[in-house]
Amino acid sequence: MLMVFLFSLALSNRIKEVQKEKVMAQKQAIENLHKSDQLKDEFLANTSHELRTPLNGIIGILESVLDGRAGNLNKNQKKNSFLLLLAVVNDFIIW
């Protein structure tokens, strides 16, 4: 009878330990998810910045070409420059 009592007491303690380990593992998993989510956000912010910087430069150059600062353009050149500007701006907005 004493053996059964001691065995049940030991088993109860082991069950409590396993439950604590499970809770700790869940907390660790949640923490890892938060860290990976933060890394993802940082990656997307950096990538977005790296893409926007050259697009802004291209837009500025195209605007100056259309304004005539690079010299006079014929009608076809203006049309193509404007279409290119629209395409770049459209891509910029999507990002």
Side-chain angles (χ1 to χ4, degrees), residues 26-91:
Q26 288 172 339
K27 286 181 182 179
Q28 185 65 43
I30 291 170
E31 185 178 321
N32 289 342
L33 285 172
H34 285 299
K35 286 180 183 178
S36 65
D37 191 48
Q38 182 180 4
L39 289 172
K40 176 205 53 131
D41 289 345
E42 289 173 13
F43 171 78
L44 289 175
N46 290 337
T47 302
S48 175
H49 174 74
E50 293 300 321
L51 291 171
R52 286 173 185 255
T53 300
L55 283 174
N56 279 324
I58 293 168
I59 289 170
I61 292 169
L62 287 171
E63 286 175 341
S64 68
V65 166
L66 287 170
D67 288 344
R69 287 182 245 160
N72 292 330
L73 301 176
N74 65 40
K75 203 172 197 178
N76 196 34
Q77 289 171 323
K78 281 186 179 183
K79 176 185 160 195
N80 289 337
S81 295
F82 183 74
L83 291 174
L84 183 57
L85 177 61
L86 288 178
V88 171
V89 168
N90 186 45
D91 287 346

